[in-house]
Amino acid sequence: MRALRIDRNTGRFMIARLASGIDTGSAAKIGPLTLGEADAPALPGVGWQRVYPRLTGICGSDLATVEGHASTYFENWVSFPFVPGHEIVGELDSGERIVVEPVLGHAARGHALPFEGAAPGDGDDYAHLALPPLEPGIQIGFCNSTGGGWATELVAHESQIHRIPHDMSDERAVLIEPLAGGIHSALQAVESVRGVESPVIAVQGAGTMGLCAIAGLRTFAPHAHVVVGARYPAQVRAAKELGATTVVDASELARTVRHVVGCHIVGNYLSSGAHVTIDAVGNSESIGTSIHITRPHGRIVLMGMPARVDVDLTGLWHRETELKGSYTYGTETLPDGSRRRTFELAIELAGAVQTERLLSATYPLEDYVRALRHAAEAGPRGAIKIAFDLRPELLKTDKSKKAENR
Amino acid sequence: MPRPGFVLEVDRSTPPILFWRGENFSLEKLPADRSRVIYAPEPHKVIDDIDGAINHALLNPVDMDPLPTLLVPGMKLTIAFDDISLPLPKMTRPDIRQRIIEAVLDMAAEAGVDDVHIIAALALHRRMTEDELRHQLGDRIYDAFAPRGMLYQHDAEDPDNLALLGETAHGEEVEINKRAAESDLLVYVNINLVAMDGGWKSTATGLASYRSLRHHHNTHTMQNSRSFMDAHKSELHKSNWRMGEVMRKHGPKIFQIETTVNNDTFPKPFDFLAKREWEWNGRDRAKFVAAKAGLNRTPPRMARNIFHGIEAPHNMTSIQCGEVEAVHRLTTENVWKQQLVEVQGQTDILTMGIPFICPYNVNSIMNPILVMCTGLGYFFNLYRGKPLVREGGVVIMTHPTTNEFHPVHHPSYIDFFEQVLTETTVPHELEARFEKQFAQDDWYRHLYRTSYAYHGVHPFYMWYWGSHGLQHCGKVIIVGGDAPTVHRLGFTPASTLNDALEIASDVVGRSPTITHLHTPPLMVADVK
């Protein structure tokens, strides 16, 4: 199969990190990522299927990995070499189109479910992520055993496969995974404002994840005043289209939240602030700002993947602010008390959100350097989501091989 | 004998004309045979014996008894005075207000009046610093009254110190400073820089609360004041005068002291800025070149400090005291004498250089909202009769219009720029959607009362101030303005005056008439 692969090469990670600091997007050319032919991953066992990606998105976490910015935390939770890519719409040997819920949960790894009907992201013991039969890996796209979406082929477990309606376009479906992440964060925010008559929810960052969180908030907290800090005009437009109440330049978020809430500013901190802040950026500055603008006893939903940060947590301590991580998705408790899998909600919501409008450009796998540069420069270039288009590759895939697999 | 105002018809021999650009300026060549430049009358002579004139006026008021006869022991006397928003630039010490208040205090002391409060009539403007108060009132007054809490600044948000006097027949509430309202005599000390100042506006605006001010500081009033400078055609004036009626019936006895100043705006070495360009001598040209070269290399903050450090040589040309309306009639006549310039007919394009200062950025930053207000609010309204520019015509301003605000003086302006103008620039709409929230914002209220911030609603008032101009003009262009900032204002940026004229041709055709308002110095065009 044709695949983009990341090897454990410390030197290249370091070079990528340095290069990306000088020239955004250059890491793809000189970093740990290589394009080539590779053996397709073997099916790990019963319940596994081959998936042939049609479109696969480029996520911020993928970029962080390619650019060598990812935390060393992941060293024990991934297995090299691996094929990145976890925002996948693909097809099975049967020809059915599916989206992949990439988390390698208990079912995929042959472990007992934490509870009946659990989604891959559920549970409070992550031992299964690092234990056999699969190589370590938090999800497809970071696991040597499964492959990833930046290839013409991968394997996925039945528990990860969601069939999509015939009339749903690939362009819409490829955004389901980030939309599920957005819904998950939104519900974490909504949970903490239950019973609040006029909640104010701030969202920092209006890249794909921030925008998907806004879409989630509009669905599950339609009465909330959603204030968004965005950096680029395309993000501002998209945030407004998705229903944000107020969208301002990121540098004005604190002032705007203050104004909406009607509180004071004391030093760098709002005296009160947003009931919840969704931080879809995840760096030192954004986390600091989140603490500044979230009201005492409020919640910060940390959606953007951070690495090592330098943040003064005195305010967090004094204000008794809750800092809640928001990794992916799982089983959600909705405001009406019902329980649903996030991915199911995302598939249902994708049509209403028209997620395809967030897909700005696609590239063939061969053009990965340009694709990754575009993704790294998405904001300034007026783009939201960049994806690889593997459909031409799929047409070239040996039909007999697929038939054989069938 | 000072020369009257003058309208220059531009021909091929006309030298380039000076345009202000904030803390800088440029010389621009205007198209020959279809351009004209309006110059202000030359500065009138100031009164030789100012202190003598003050005493004479206090002893010989109009339609009132002499001040000493109104002063009796045990009475409650309040002296209110105009704030830092005028004159512009600030005058050299001693300020007229100091001289007048010292004279009033001398008479009060002679009469045995010891309950005297001195109040800066701020309305919703920012509080002044100690230095600024000392500049206006002098050290003697400041040191005698401020430490004892008898010199202070009006607080339009202090419910315990406001008094509701009643309502006009139009339902306008008249609520003013309680101490002033409950005084046996209120002496108001005014500097009438332009015709709309003074009269009942001194007290009905300067000492009022938001509750009262909102009745005339709104889009409807501003769009129906044509212009603010013409009392007979000004809704703003009429509303203040209606409130004056309520004050006359239910308020304190008022002894109004109004003064006019000449338009001697710039001291040396900046005096060339007020001259007519064809009369510049070699020294003037050298000063321009040197100033321009220096300013081009000077960081904006330093340039701002230089200009705001200017103390103008302008001084008192008249003083009249007594009954408010009778006094104001005389004052207005004296203002017209200095400022009126007769102009024949309207123009397709009105050009104006926006200087470094307006009433609301003294010792501060001319932010984008104030650029709009200065251009479309003040300069556009410097007319009597008809606007200088025809309806549907174009206004071209020159100013850098950077996205820069003074965080202490103008906090609500920043939010207005970021949160309101991003939604709408239509005065009626932003008034309906956003004014109340800004006006009632507790943080802005706190900063207005305890820091040096303009009231939360003030940027709205600035926008309303320009609403007549906005409504009247077909296009507004800012030459040299930061493009994103100018766009946010709803205007069109241009790099050069020629570019601006080219852009304007879409609206006014290829050979429009052009009029340049050569101000400052201040003037009012009497458009026939």
Side-chain angles (χ1 to χ4, degrees), chain B residues 8-28:
Chain B
L8 170 75
E9 298 291 339
V10 173
D11 61 28
R12 292 180 193 285
S13 65
T14 304
I17 303 299
L18 185 118
F19 277 62
W20 278 91
R21 290 174 177 246
E23 288 98 10
N24 209 327
F25 24 72
S26 62
L27 289 175
E28 305 288 347

PDB file of all heavy atoms in Angstrom, chain B residues 8-28:
ATOM      1  N   LEU B   8     -10.618  81.327  -0.858  1.00  0.00           N
ATOM      2  CA  LEU B   8      -9.654  81.400  -1.951  1.00  0.00           C
ATOM      3  C   LEU B   8     -10.108  80.490  -3.086  1.00  0.00           C
ATOM      4  O   LEU B   8     -10.352  79.294  -2.877  1.00  0.00           O
ATOM      5  CB  LEU B   8      -8.280  80.931  -1.445  1.00  0.00           C
ATOM      6  CG  LEU B   8      -7.228  80.721  -2.543  1.00  0.00           C
ATOM      7  CD1 LEU B   8      -6.715  82.062  -3.050  1.00  0.00           C
ATOM      8  CD2 LEU B   8      -6.073  79.872  -2.029  1.00  0.00           C
ATOM      9  N   GLU B   9     -10.216  81.062  -4.282  1.00  0.00           N
ATOM     10  CA  GLU B   9     -10.471  80.242  -5.465  1.00  0.00           C
ATOM     11  C   GLU B   9      -9.109  79.748  -5.951  1.00  0.00           C
ATOM     12  O   GLU B   9      -8.225  80.545  -6.236  1.00  0.00           O
ATOM     13  CB  GLU B   9     -11.155  81.067  -6.562  1.00  0.00           C
ATOM     14  CG  GLU B   9     -12.519  81.625  -6.172  1.00  0.00           C
ATOM     15  CD  GLU B   9     -13.591  80.557  -6.021  1.00  0.00           C
ATOM     16  OE1 GLU B   9     -13.427  79.458  -6.586  1.00  0.00           O
ATOM     17  OE2 GLU B   9     -14.595  80.817  -5.321  1.00  0.00           O
ATOM     18  N   VAL B  10      -8.948  78.455  -6.029  1.00  0.00           N
ATOM     19  CA  VAL B  10      -7.643  77.886  -6.377  1.00  0.00           C
ATOM     20  C   VAL B  10      -7.408  78.016  -7.883  1.00  0.00           C
ATOM     21  O   VAL B  10      -8.269  77.639  -8.687  1.00  0.00           O
ATOM     22  CB  VAL B  10      -7.575  76.407  -5.961  1.00  0.00           C
ATOM     23  CG1 VAL B  10      -6.289  75.755  -6.460  1.00  0.00           C
ATOM     24  CG2 VAL B  10      -7.690  76.280  -4.451  1.00  0.00           C
ATOM     25  N   ASP B  11      -6.259  78.574  -8.242  1.00  0.00           N
ATOM     26  CA  ASP B  11      -5.864  78.580  -9.664  1.00  0.00           C
ATOM     27  C   ASP B  11      -4.474  77.959  -9.774  1.00  0.00           C
ATOM     28  O   ASP B  11      -3.937  77.440  -8.798  1.00  0.00           O
ATOM     29  CB  ASP B  11      -5.916  80.000 -10.232  1.00  0.00           C
ATOM     30  CG  ASP B  11      -4.969  80.946  -9.498  1.00  0.00           C
ATOM     31  OD1 ASP B  11      -3.952  80.459  -8.965  1.00  0.00           O
ATOM     32  OD2 ASP B  11      -5.250  82.157  -9.445  1.00  0.00           O
ATOM     33  N   ARG B  12      -3.905  78.032 -10.964  1.00  0.00           N
ATOM     34  CA  ARG B  12      -2.640  77.325 -11.190  1.00  0.00           C
ATOM     35  C   ARG B  12      -1.487  77.907 -10.369  1.00  0.00           C
ATOM     36  O   ARG B  12      -0.480  77.234 -10.146  1.00  0.00           O
ATOM     37  CB  ARG B  12      -2.286  77.349 -12.681  1.00  0.00           C
ATOM     38  CG  ARG B  12      -3.246  76.506 -13.492  1.00  0.00           C
ATOM     39  CD  ARG B  12      -2.935  76.498 -14.978  1.00  0.00           C
ATOM     40  NE  ARG B  12      -4.051  75.946 -15.718  1.00  0.00           N
ATOM     41  CZ  ARG B  12      -4.356  74.659 -15.761  1.00  0.00           C
ATOM     42  NH1 ARG B  12      -3.613  73.791 -15.120  1.00  0.00           N
ATOM     43  NH2 ARG B  12      -5.399  74.228 -16.442  1.00  0.00           N
ATOM     44  N   SER B  13      -1.643  79.140  -9.940  1.00  0.00           N
ATOM     45  CA  SER B  13      -0.547  79.746  -9.171  1.00  0.00           C
ATOM     46  C   SER B  13      -0.698  79.516  -7.667  1.00  0.00           C
ATOM     47  O   SER B  13       0.182  79.900  -6.895  1.00  0.00           O
ATOM     48  CB  SER B  13      -0.493  81.251  -9.452  1.00  0.00           C
ATOM     49  OG  SER B  13      -1.676  81.857  -8.955  1.00  0.00           O
ATOM     50  N   THR B  14      -1.798  78.911  -7.280  1.00  0.00           N
ATOM     51  CA  THR B  14      -2.011  78.687  -5.842  1.00  0.00           C
ATOM     52  C   THR B  14      -1.019  77.647  -5.322  1.00  0.00           C
ATOM     53  O   THR B  14      -0.883  76.570  -5.911  1.00  0.00           O
ATOM     54  CB  THR B  14      -3.448  78.180  -5.580  1.00  0.00           C
ATOM     55  OG1 THR B  14      -4.360  79.119  -6.135  1.00  0.00           O
ATOM     56  CG2 THR B  14      -3.705  78.001  -4.100  1.00  0.00           C
ATOM     57  N   PRO B  15      -0.331  77.964  -4.254  1.00  0.00           N
ATOM     58  CA  PRO B  15       0.620  76.974  -3.714  1.00  0.00           C
ATOM     59  C   PRO B  15      -0.121  75.801  -3.078  1.00  0.00           C
ATOM     60  O   PRO B  15      -1.331  75.877  -2.839  1.00  0.00           O
ATOM     61  CB  PRO B  15       1.383  77.770  -2.654  1.00  0.00           C
ATOM     62  CG  PRO B  15       0.444  78.846  -2.242  1.00  0.00           C
ATOM     63  CD  PRO B  15      -0.366  79.188  -3.452  1.00  0.00           C
ATOM     64  N   PRO B  16       0.583  74.714  -2.790  1.00  0.00           N
ATOM     65  CA  PRO B  16      -0.055  73.592  -2.097  1.00  0.00           C
ATOM     66  C   PRO B  16      -0.620  74.051  -0.753  1.00  0.00           C
ATOM     67  O   PRO B  16      -0.091  74.954  -0.115  1.00  0.00           O
ATOM     68  CB  PRO B  16       1.087  72.598  -1.906  1.00  0.00           C
ATOM     69  CG  PRO B  16       2.110  72.977  -2.907  1.00  0.00           C
ATOM     70  CD  PRO B  16       1.996  74.452  -3.090  1.00  0.00           C
ATOM     71  N   ILE B  17      -1.674  73.392  -0.360  1.00  0.00           N
ATOM     72  CA  ILE B  17      -2.420  73.805   0.824  1.00  0.00           C
ATOM     73  C   ILE B  17      -2.128  72.850   1.974  1.00  0.00           C
ATOM     74  O   ILE B  17      -2.008  71.635   1.787  1.00  0.00           O
ATOM     75  CB  ILE B  17      -3.940  73.791   0.524  1.00  0.00           C
ATOM     76  CG1 ILE B  17      -4.239  74.703  -0.682  1.00  0.00           C
ATOM     77  CG2 ILE B  17      -4.744  74.200   1.743  1.00  0.00           C
ATOM     78  CD1 ILE B  17      -3.875  76.171  -0.475  1.00  0.00           C
ATOM     79  N   LEU B  18      -2.073  73.395   3.155  1.00  0.00           N
ATOM     80  CA  LEU B  18      -1.767  72.586   4.340  1.00  0.00           C
ATOM     81  C   LEU B  18      -2.962  71.729   4.761  1.00  0.00           C
ATOM     82  O   LEU B  18      -4.071  72.248   4.904  1.00  0.00           O
ATOM     83  CB  LEU B  18      -1.361  73.496   5.496  1.00  0.00           C
ATOM     84  CG  LEU B  18      -0.919  72.703   6.724  1.00  0.00           C
ATOM     85  CD1 LEU B  18       0.530  73.002   7.046  1.00  0.00           C
ATOM     86  CD2 LEU B  18      -1.778  73.006   7.928  1.00  0.00           C
ATOM     87  N   PHE B  19      -2.709  70.457   4.931  1.00  0.00           N
ATOM     88  CA  PHE B  19      -3.705  69.516   5.457  1.00  0.00           C
ATOM     89  C   PHE B  19      -3.150  68.909   6.735  1.00  0.00           C
ATOM     90  O   PHE B  19      -2.039  68.378   6.741  1.00  0.00           O
ATOM     91  CB  PHE B  19      -3.961  68.375   4.463  1.00  0.00           C
ATOM     92  CG  PHE B  19      -4.936  68.695   3.366  1.00  0.00           C
ATOM     93  CD1 PHE B  19      -4.679  69.705   2.446  1.00  0.00           C
ATOM     94  CD2 PHE B  19      -6.111  67.962   3.249  1.00  0.00           C
ATOM     95  CE1 PHE B  19      -5.580  69.984   1.418  1.00  0.00           C
ATOM     96  CE2 PHE B  19      -7.017  68.234   2.230  1.00  0.00           C
ATOM     97  CZ  PHE B  19      -6.754  69.243   1.314  1.00  0.00           C
ATOM     98  N   TRP B  20      -3.924  68.971   7.785  1.00  0.00           N
ATOM     99  CA  TRP B  20      -3.528  68.264   9.002  1.00  0.00           C
ATOM    100  C   TRP B  20      -3.655  66.763   8.808  1.00  0.00           C
ATOM    101  O   TRP B  20      -4.559  66.298   8.115  1.00  0.00           O
ATOM    102  CB  TRP B  20      -4.430  68.677  10.164  1.00  0.00           C
ATOM    103  CG  TRP B  20      -4.016  69.955  10.798  1.00  0.00           C
ATOM    104  CD1 TRP B  20      -4.438  71.213  10.471  1.00  0.00           C
ATOM    105  CD2 TRP B  20      -3.090  70.108  11.875  1.00  0.00           C
ATOM    106  NE1 TRP B  20      -3.826  72.140  11.270  1.00  0.00           N
ATOM    107  CE2 TRP B  20      -2.997  71.488  12.151  1.00  0.00           C
ATOM    108  CE3 TRP B  20      -2.326  69.218  12.623  1.00  0.00           C
ATOM    109  CZ2 TRP B  20      -2.176  71.996  13.141  1.00  0.00           C
ATOM    110  CZ3 TRP B  20      -1.507  69.712  13.617  1.00  0.00           C
ATOM    111  CH2 TRP B  20      -1.431  71.091  13.874  1.00  0.00           C
ATOM    112  N   ARG B  21      -2.767  66.015   9.436  1.00  0.00           N
ATOM    113  CA  ARG B  21      -2.857  64.556   9.451  1.00  0.00           C
ATOM    114  C   ARG B  21      -2.535  64.081  10.861  1.00  0.00           C
ATOM    115  O   ARG B  21      -1.502  63.475  11.107  1.00  0.00           O
ATOM    116  CB  ARG B  21      -1.874  63.937   8.464  1.00  0.00           C
ATOM    117  CG  ARG B  21      -2.235  64.167   6.995  1.00  0.00           C
ATOM    118  CD  ARG B  21      -1.139  63.655   6.088  1.00  0.00           C
ATOM    119  NE  ARG B  21      -1.485  63.802   4.683  1.00  0.00           N
ATOM    120  CZ  ARG B  21      -1.690  62.776   3.850  1.00  0.00           C
ATOM    121  NH1 ARG B  21      -1.573  61.539   4.276  1.00  0.00           N
ATOM    122  NH2 ARG B  21      -1.989  62.998   2.589  1.00  0.00           N
ATOM    123  N   GLY B  22      -3.380  64.369  11.792  1.00  0.00           N
ATOM    124  CA  GLY B  22      -3.142  63.992  13.180  1.00  0.00           C
ATOM    125  C   GLY B  22      -1.978  64.769  13.735  1.00  0.00           C
ATOM    126  O   GLY B  22      -1.980  66.005  13.732  1.00  0.00           O
ATOM    127  N   GLU B  23      -0.960  64.031  14.197  1.00  0.00           N
ATOM    128  CA  GLU B  23       0.223  64.694  14.730  1.00  0.00           C
ATOM    129  C   GLU B  23       1.231  64.948  13.613  1.00  0.00           C
ATOM    130  O   GLU B  23       2.443  64.773  13.790  1.00  0.00           O
ATOM    131  CB  GLU B  23       0.866  63.840  15.839  1.00  0.00           C
ATOM    132  CG  GLU B  23       0.071  63.821  17.127  1.00  0.00           C
ATOM    133  CD  GLU B  23      -0.801  62.592  17.250  1.00  0.00           C
ATOM    134  OE1 GLU B  23      -0.642  61.670  16.425  1.00  0.00           O
ATOM    135  OE2 GLU B  23      -1.648  62.543  18.158  1.00  0.00           O
ATOM    136  N   ASN B  24       0.745  65.299  12.472  1.00  0.00           N
ATOM    137  CA  ASN B  24       1.595  65.603  11.339  1.00  0.00           C
ATOM    138  C   ASN B  24       0.756  66.420  10.343  1.00  0.00           C
ATOM    139  O   ASN B  24      -0.414  66.688  10.628  1.00  0.00           O
ATOM    140  CB  ASN B  24       2.124  64.312  10.689  1.00  0.00           C
ATOM    141  CG  ASN B  24       3.477  64.508  10.037  1.00  0.00           C
ATOM    142  OD1 ASN B  24       3.760  65.584   9.524  1.00  0.00           O
ATOM    143  ND2 ASN B  24       4.300  63.474  10.055  1.00  0.00           N
ATOM    144  N   PHE B  25       1.342  66.775   9.245  1.00  0.00           N
ATOM    145  CA  PHE B  25       0.592  67.518   8.238  1.00  0.00           C
ATOM    146  C   PHE B  25       1.276  67.329   6.891  1.00  0.00           C
ATOM    147  O   PHE B  25       2.389  66.813   6.799  1.00  0.00           O
ATOM    148  CB  PHE B  25       0.485  69.005   8.577  1.00  0.00           C
ATOM    149  CG  PHE B  25       1.576  69.524   9.474  1.00  0.00           C
ATOM    150  CD1 PHE B  25       2.862  69.674   9.000  1.00  0.00           C
ATOM    151  CD2 PHE B  25       1.314  69.814  10.805  1.00  0.00           C
ATOM    152  CE1 PHE B  25       3.871  70.131   9.830  1.00  0.00           C
ATOM    153  CE2 PHE B  25       2.320  70.270  11.644  1.00  0.00           C
ATOM    154  CZ  PHE B  25       3.602  70.433  11.151  1.00  0.00           C
ATOM    155  N   SER B  26       0.586  67.729   5.846  1.00  0.00           N
ATOM    156  CA  SER B  26       1.162  67.620   4.508  1.00  0.00           C
ATOM    157  C   SER B  26       0.700  68.817   3.696  1.00  0.00           C
ATOM    158  O   SER B  26      -0.241  69.527   4.076  1.00  0.00           O
ATOM    159  CB  SER B  26       0.712  66.321   3.831  1.00  0.00           C
ATOM    160  OG  SER B  26      -0.696  66.317   3.679  1.00  0.00           O
ATOM    161  N   LEU B  27       1.378  69.046   2.591  1.00  0.00           N
ATOM    162  CA  LEU B  27       0.943  70.079   1.660  1.00  0.00           C
ATOM    163  C   LEU B  27       0.347  69.385   0.447  1.00  0.00           C
ATOM    164  O   LEU B  27       0.953  68.460  -0.112  1.00  0.00           O
ATOM    165  CB  LEU B  27       2.130  70.943   1.235  1.00  0.00           C
ATOM    166  CG  LEU B  27       2.682  71.879   2.313  1.00  0.00           C
ATOM    167  CD1 LEU B  27       3.931  72.597   1.802  1.00  0.00           C
ATOM    168  CD2 LEU B  27       1.621  72.905   2.734  1.00  0.00           C
ATOM    169  N   GLU B  28      -0.843  69.786   0.070  1.00  0.00           N
ATOM    170  CA  GLU B  28      -1.543  69.110  -1.015  1.00  0.00           C
ATOM    171  C   GLU B  28      -1.924  70.131  -2.086  1.00  0.00           C
ATOM    172  O   GLU B  28      -2.406  71.218  -1.786  1.00  0.00           O
ATOM    173  CB  GLU B  28      -2.825  68.431  -0.490  1.00  0.00           C
ATOM    174  CG  GLU B  28      -2.609  67.472   0.675  1.00  0.00           C
ATOM    175  CD  GLU B  28      -1.922  66.174   0.261  1.00  0.00           C
ATOM    176  OE1 GLU B  28      -1.830  65.919  -0.967  1.00  0.00           O
ATOM    177  OE2 GLU B  28      -1.468  65.432   1.148  1.00  0.00           O
TER     178      GLU B  28
END
